[in-house]
Amino acid sequence: MFDVSPVVVVLMVLVGVLTACVLLLAGRRPGAAPSRGEAGAARADDSGRDVVGAGAPDEGPFSSQEGGEPDYRRLAETRRRQLVEAELRTLRAQISPHFIYNSLNAIAAFIPTEPVRARELVIDFADFTRYSLRAEGDFSTLAEELDAVERYVVLEKARFGGRVQVDLQIAPEVLGVRIPFLAVQPLVENAVRHGLEAESGQVRVLLRAVDEATHAVISVEDDGVGAEPEHMAEVLAGEAGGSHIGLRNVDLRLRQAFGGGQGLVIDTAVGAGMMVSMRIPKFQPEVDVDTEVAAR
């Protein structure tokens, strides 16, 4: 028999309790797993870009006050809001099981030999999952999103060590810009996952945010295997099955929030890495974005 350090025991219990709580939260959240109808609600027009259509509304009859005619503006607003909510639930469902499983395995590996580091990783894991599973708000500041990205990177480095290198170049002027919730972290995760497919088995990711007059330009670039530009166009058009589904999700929500011309821009080629970028308006009206979009 061998002695088990009290610290190790405490950490093992903490990880177990944290895992149970997060899985319970993910399983019991209303709409945590979107229905097939919700997941298939997003469609593209002939250009493969702008989003139209949504799931069925959950409100009563949409009649105007005069003549009983349908209130199409209210109906459009409700459907757009439901689409945004369904897409966000879909993204959360994609991230949570995959990331929770891998992160807990990485933490467990450090418990016997480096309990202090294991404790720190548990804290990073808890903060990241609390952010990614939060219930309130469709928007975050860039600063909040970058904090989640940094915790994600710490956990990935616990798994892959020096194989993952993520550098940040952030202009302080854009830290307060409001962006759709979970718009940057999925891009970094995509770069890490697909960048590690390179023959070297290593990836370097550069996350940059710069101030360009009325917009903040955020880009994520990796030196991985890259992809066919035609394939990435199919991804954004929803014609590529489950490939790069996080990119498609972010692209849809950017267009819902800021208009059809404000989606992701992807610059890539086979063997040449990939750069994914977005332009975010720095000055946004303090109104509900779903209502604003519906009123256009």
Side-chain angles (χ1 to χ4, degrees), residues 84-97:
V84 171
E85 292 171 352
E87 290 295 337
L88 187 54
R89 290 197 299 269
T90 299
L91 182 57
R92 284 169 171 159
Q94 293 159 5
I95 290 176
S96 302

Side-chain angles (χ1 to χ4, degrees), residues 87-88 90-92 94-96 98-99 128 131-132 145-146 148-149 152 156 179-194 205 207 220 222 244-251 253 264 274 276 278:
E87 290 295 337
L88 187 54
T90 299
L91 182 57
R92 284 169 171 159
Q94 293 159 5
I95 290 176
S96 302
H98 171 81
F99 192 77
F128 177 83
Y131 175 79
S132 63
E145 189 82 1
L146 291 177
V149 167
Y152 164 79
E156 288 292 67
I179 62 175
F181 173 63
L182 285 178
V184 177
Q185 185 275 333
L187 306 188
V188 176
E189 181 173 1
N190 179 80
V192 170
R193 288 175 55 198
H194 294 279
V205 178
L207 169 55
V220 177
D222 67 72
H244 297 274
I245 194 168
L247 298 185
R248 162 73 171 166
N249 190 293
V250 173
D251 181 70
R253 290 190 294 115
L264 293 177
M274 182 180 298
V276 183
M278 66 181 81

